[in-house]
Amino acid sequence: MKLRKVAKNAGASFITQIVNIITNFILPPLLIATYGSQINGLVTTIKQLMSYIKLVGAGISVATTHSLYKPIAKQDHKKTSGILNASNSMFTKAGILFSLIALIVSFIYPLFLSESLDYYLIVMLIIVMSIEGASEFFVVGKYRSLLYADQKSYITSIVQSIGIVLSFIFAYALIKNNVNIVLVQLASSLVFIVRILLLSAYVNRNYKFLDSKTPPIQTANEKRNDAFIHQLSGLVILSSQVIVLSTFAGLDVASIYAVYNVVFSGLFSICSQTMSSVAPFLGRTIALNNINKLKNEFNKVEFIYNMVLSYIYSLCTILIIPFISVYVGGVSDINYVDYGVASLFVMISYFNNVRLPAQSLINVAGHFKETRSRAIIEAIVCIALQLILVNSLGIYGVLIGTAVTLGWRCFDIIFYSNKYIIKQRNLTSIFRAIKIPCIAIVVLIINIEFVQFNVSGYMEWVNWAIIYSFISIAIILIINLVFERRLLIDIYKLIFRLISKKI
């Protein structure tokens, strides 16, 4: 694995997620102040609707990427063209279906809303906000699969960042001038079409061997349905909590969940995109059937990733409540500062993120059918536990049900990937996963015994974050020097070599 390429992909992905998080923090309050809470709630709901309608194409991108690893690694241009042509046909059909469903929903959905918003305003909002989703199917999808499989995910990340920034600039300027919300969303959606032009230009320039006349090779179709089940399961796990809470516990409780989820969903996006930028390199090694190299690469990736998670969760454990207290400001109608909710969110986030290296292996190896039943069980058990516990425990019940399910599935994924893909013992991966909460507990004990602090603003919070960063990094280095000294030194040498070459 080339560290320079990994760093380029991971860095570009990280920047994209940071840009996305920042814009998501800024725009909602601005929307509320200018158009009111109803419009903000409507825009958020439509975005959620779009994510569900996009399921018509779920599995195509994942299956296509897996099918492309081997032909790209072996520079089989004809097979690469054939797979992409088949993929393009699938994406086009899914895009047409997405557009039709979005059009139907735009006329039906407003009938179920009790709010006094203009019917045609809602119709037009849904239509204009579906433009971005349609562009994903008709152009962006196949190009992203190609670049991802060719270890160039940084290109799609850069293009995505440009689209987010341009969309934010247009939206911010139009909202500030109190322009009609439909025109604001139309401008934002049309800006994302810039991605089509940029990606098309890059692919046409750098992949001149692609031939649209090559007969389609339907390899990607074979795994599409199984990949779809995995994506559906993931969507159910990530989206079910707020729906269950708003239905059975009330909108106030759902609002508490939403505030904490702003932080942890952003963290999950960063972690998942970082692993997605590394996964193509593992996929290429699997395609070349080099098991020894795969073990070596995966162990380094897992070690570095879990060190980063150790740092993140040691800080999260200490800083999440102070952050929430500053973020909600002077809100007094609901008590957002809840140590129980914060602790459960940290636990859920940990289980969701620590499994990502092993989950990435399953994806790039194409083991969708082999793990399909596990994904189905995970979704069913998660929903069942939430529904059973919500009436007696409220938000705690929903979070406990999710944590229990993700905890089981997390270690199940780690066991599976080690046994059936890497073909090595689970002990090392389990030990690395357990180190993360242990380090967080050590930092928490230091805080309770020696520090204990309160913050009144963001700058004060940042200052404490910097202080605890040094404490956390010191503990992480000491523990890893004791238990995995050789690998830590190897990683240090790799990074030093990369920096030296850059200089």
Side-chain angles (χ1 to χ4, degrees), residues 220 229 308 312 385:
I229 289 173
V308 174
I312 289 172
L385 286 177

Side-chain angles (χ1 to χ4, degrees), residues 149-425:
D150 199 22
Q151 306 171 354
K152 293 181 179 179
S153 63
Y154 67 91
I155 298 297
T156 56
S157 295
I158 291 170
V159 170
Q160 179 73 359
S161 295
I162 293 170
I164 293 171
V165 171
L166 289 176
S167 177
F168 171 76
I169 291 171
F170 274 86
Y172 187 89
L174 293 173
I175 293 171
K176 276 291 187 181
N177 286 282
N178 204 20
V179 174
N180 185 285
I181 186 63
V182 174
L183 295 178
V184 172
Q185 294 300 326
L186 177 61
S188 297
S189 296
L190 289 176
V191 164
F192 272 99
I193 295 180
V194 171
R195 291 182 305 167
I196 296 176
L197 302 176
L198 293 175
L199 285 175
S200 298
Y202 183 87
V203 170
N204 291 334
R205 182 177 178 181
N206 293 276
Y207 295 87
K208 294 181 179 179
F209 61 82
L210 293 177
D211 185 2
S212 60
K213 295 180 181 179
T214 302
I217 300 173
Q218 302 296 339
T219 308
N221 280 326
E222 298 171 3
K223 296 182 181 287
R224 180 195 169 184
N225 292 333
D226 296 319
F228 165 77
I229 289 173
H230 281 268
Q231 289 187 279
L232 178 60
S233 172
L235 184 62
V236 168
I237 298 295
L238 293 175
S239 303
S240 59
Q241 292 97 324
V242 70
I243 296 173
V244 171
L245 285 172
S246 60
T247 304
F248 296 98
L251 292 175
D252 288 348
V253 179
S255 180
I256 295 173
Y257 175 90
V259 167
Y260 283 87
N261 196 51
V262 166
V263 178
F264 289 100
S265 62
L267 178 58
F268 176 74
S269 295
I270 292 172
C271 291
S272 61
Q273 287 300 314
T274 299
M275 276 311 307
S276 294
S277 65
V278 176
F281 299 89
L282 300 175
R284 181 185 179 90
T285 305
I286 291 173
L288 296 174
N289 200 28
N290 192 335
I291 190 66
N292 290 326
K293 185 179 180 182
L294 176 64
K295 288 179 182 179
N296 182 48
E297 290 182 348
F298 179 76
N299 278 318
K300 288 178 180 176
V301 168
E302 185 181 58
F303 177 74
I304 296 171
Y305 179 79
N306 282 13
M307 278 185 68
V308 174
L309 284 190
S310 298
Y311 168 75
I312 289 172
Y313 287 105
S314 61
L315 293 187
C316 264
T317 305
I318 305 297
L319 297 170
I320 181 60
I321 286 295
F323 177 83
I324 293 297
S325 65
V326 174
Y327 184 66
V328 295
V331 176
S332 57
D333 58 337
I334 309 173
N335 180 25
Y336 286 94
V337 179
D338 190 313
Y339 285 91
V341 171
S343 299
L344 288 168
F345 256 100
V346 170
M347 190 182 301
I348 289 170
S349 178
Y350 161 73
F351 287 135
N352 219 12
N353 287 323
V354 78
R355 73 185 193 174
L356 287 177
Q359 182 69 63
S360 296
L361 267 185
I362 291 173
N363 290 341
V364 296
H367 284 219
F368 305 117
K369 185 176 182 179
E370 294 85 345
T371 56
R372 180 179 59 190
S373 60
R374 290 171 161 89
I376 294 172
I377 292 170
E378 179 186 18
I380 293 173
V381 171
C382 187
I383 293 293
L385 286 177
Q386 288 177 30
L387 293 174
I388 291 169
L389 296 174
V390 67
N391 288 323
S392 57
L393 297 175
I395 189 171
Y396 300 111
V398 170
L399 295 176
I400 289 170
T402 305
V404 169
T405 308
L406 288 178
W408 156 71
R409 183 72 172 120
C410 167
F411 289 101
D412 176 64
I413 288 171
I414 292 173
F415 289 150
Y416 182 91
S417 62
N418 275 278
K419 183 176 181 180
Y420 295 105
I421 300 175
I422 311 179
K423 297 178 172 54
Q424 67 179 13
R425 294 170 61 194

